[in-house]
Amino acid sequence: MKLKRQQRGLTFVGLIIVGTLLALAGIVAAQVFPTYLEYMAVQKAVQKAAAGDTVAEVRSIFDKAATIDDIKTISGKDLTVGKQGDRVVVSFDYTREIHLAGPGWLVMKYKGSSQ
């Protein structure tokens, strides 16, 4: 008498469910990735802007860098400029909202400062 080998693997329905979940995760990741790239550009622009001596100069430097790097979420007027000892410290704080479906939104909060 032969023993039946138990089959292992993914059923077609299981494959469809896994594929759907991976597709949804890919769609969300495709919407989140550009916001992260913009955050990195903002961080780089803030580092450049910290070289300014006055608040107006810091904001002007940031706005020029924002134009070059295509930063649209935040502008120079949204920056917080202060001093720490003899260094100029520039910080920022903003949110990005990504609509998922119906009433569902994904809120990304970005915060940083020059060091």
Side-chain angles (χ1 to χ4, degrees):
M1 186 158 66
K2 288 186 176 182
L3 297 173
K4 286 188 175 182
R5 285 183 63 187
Q6 185 178 4
Q7 290 185 354
R8 295 183 185 188
L10 205 55
T11 65
F12 182 69
V13 173
L15 182 65
I16 296 296
I17 291 171
V18 168
T20 303
L21 291 175
L22 287 174
L24 290 174
I27 290 169
V28 171
Q31 292 178 346
V32 169
F33 188 67
T35 67
Y36 180 74
L37 288 179
E38 185 179 47
Y39 164 73
M40 296 304 290
V42 168
Q43 187 68 39
K44 187 173 87 172
V46 163
Q47 295 295 338
K48 288 180 187 175
D53 293 325
T54 65
V55 174
E57 187 179 358
V58 166
R59 290 183 174 160
S60 174
I61 293 170
F62 180 85
D63 285 336
K64 287 176 186 174
T67 301
I68 293 168
D69 291 333
D70 197 31
I71 299 170
K72 301 203 182 307
T73 303
I74 188 171
S75 66
K77 66 179 187 244
D78 299 320
L79 300 176
T80 304
V81 182
K83 282 214 170 225
Q84 205 173 44
D86 59 345
R87 283 188 1 239
V88 174
V89 177
V90 183
S91 58
F92 62 93
D93 186 6
Y94 67 95
T95 61
R96 287 287 304 264
E97 296 176 345
I98 299 170
H99 182 252
L100 296 176
W105 291 80
L106 176 63
V107 178
M108 309 288 292
K109 293 184 178 186
Y110 293 110
K111 188 177 195 176
S113 67
S114 63
Q115 298 282 321

